Amino acid sequence: MGFFTKDIKTMNDLFMHGLQDLYYAENKIAKSLPDMIEKATNPQLRAGFEKHLKETEGQVQRLQRLFELLDADPKGEKCPAIDGILKEGSELMGEVDDEDVMNVGLIAAAQAVEHYEITRYGALIAWASELGRRDCIPLLRASLAEEKATDEKLTALAERRVNPEGEKKSGSGRKAPKRAASTARRKRKSQARPAKAKRSGAKKARRRA
Ligand SMILES: [Fe+2]
Ligand SMILES: [Fe+2]
């Protein structure tokens, strides 16, 4: 069922549909992650997927608790969006032979999933708040935090380019000067700010005088 069907008339319907949609998605993701773990050759990526599989199983349980809070049976509603994202990911995995390219592709596929989940949890939190269901919010927030942390870890891995060559290069300090430079830039900026404030304060004082 799509998001805008005649079956959804009220905010309560929309909230319940969103939960069912996410329940379907989290269950599908839990089934897909073992394949991704198998294909990942980078140890950190593999460990990250293994950790997120456990988290995803916990997220399914959180959704079950949410259905309980709402006196509803846990039920999944087919979600074409996550089906498409996962299908594209598994097609990609079937096409790539090179291990490093596979790892990079897996990161991108996993981030597409995380971004989808982040938008859905974000919407559900807003709707729960609008409906006065504050009791639902901590459970939704806990899962959202895990999705965001996973996304950030994937970004960090992508930036290291995953392959061992990339790690060697960054380990040998190739990336360090860039970080040091940006830290120095931030420091300069923060030092510059009070000076600017002082200048504008002095200007005002002159104007007053
Ligand atoms: Fe999830
Ligand atoms: Fe996730």
Side-chain angles (χ1 to χ4, degrees):
M1 182 167 72
F3 244 74
F4 301 102
T5 67
K6 283 180 186 163
D7 296 326
I8 297 170
K9 293 188 177 77
T10 65
M11 279 306 296
N12 271 310
D13 295 340
L14 191 61
F15 184 56
M16 182 53 71
H17 175 70
L19 287 174
Q20 291 170 342
D21 183 283
L22 208 40
Y23 190 60
Y24 173 90
E26 292 289 16
N27 276 294
K28 281 285 270 216
I29 295 162
K31 277 191 196 129
S32 301
L33 273 165
D35 277 351
M36 297 170 83
I37 291 166
E38 210 184 295
K39 298 271 180 182
T41 56
N42 176 279
Q44 286 166 289
L45 182 59
R46 181 185 274 252
F49 283 156
E50 278 165 353
K51 181 174 185 252
H52 200 50
L53 173 57
K54 285 198 188 87
E55 285 173 342
T56 302
E57 287 161 356
Q59 290 165 1
V60 168
Q61 287 171 6
R62 274 190 206 116
L63 286 167
Q64 288 167 346
R65 293 219 295 278
L66 283 158
F67 283 115
E68 248 172 66
L69 284 174
L70 297 163
D71 284 322
D73 288 329
K75 185 182 144 224
E77 186 71 62
K78 192 171 165 51
C79 168
I82 197 68
D83 281 344
I85 292 169
L86 292 172
K87 187 168 176 261
E88 191 187 50
S90 74
E91 280 172 4
L92 174 104
M93 287 190 277
E95 283 166 13
V96 179
D97 287 327
D98 183 277
E99 282 187 0
D100 294 334
V101 176
M102 171 70 86
N103 287 324
V104 174
L106 281 169
I107 290 177
Q111 283 198 290
V113 173
E114 296 315 311
H115 290 192
Y116 161 84
E117 293 178 293
I118 288 167
T119 62
R120 291 294 156 101
Y121 278 112
L124 284 168
I125 290 167
W127 297 342
S129 167
E130 191 179 328
L131 290 165
R133 293 302 311 231
R134 301 210 66 82
D135 52 337
C136 296
I137 294 177
L139 289 165
L140 293 165
R141 276 208 183 127
S143 295
L144 177 62
E146 288 171 352
E147 311 298 17
K148 282 186 176 170
T150 303
D151 182 45
E152 277 164 25
K153 278 180 209 148
L154 288 165
T155 299
L157 275 176
E159 280 171 357
R160 261 180 271 157
R161 287 223 159 266
V162 177
N163 66 64
E165 260 318 289
E167 291 206 5
K168 231 188 278 164
K169 279 172 196 161
S170 68
S172 67
R174 261 185 68 144
K175 281 205 165 175
K178 203 176 167 190
R179 268 200 300 275
S182 71
T183 312
R185 253 198 315 278
R186 271 201 305 278
K187 228 176 169 182
R188 276 201 303 275
K189 247 184 172 177
S190 70
Q191 280 165 350
R193 252 178 245 129
K196 202 175 164 191
K198 247 187 235 166
R199 271 201 308 276
S200 74
K203 232 185 210 173
K204 270 182 206 157
R206 272 202 304 277
R207 247 183 266 137
R208 273 199 299 272

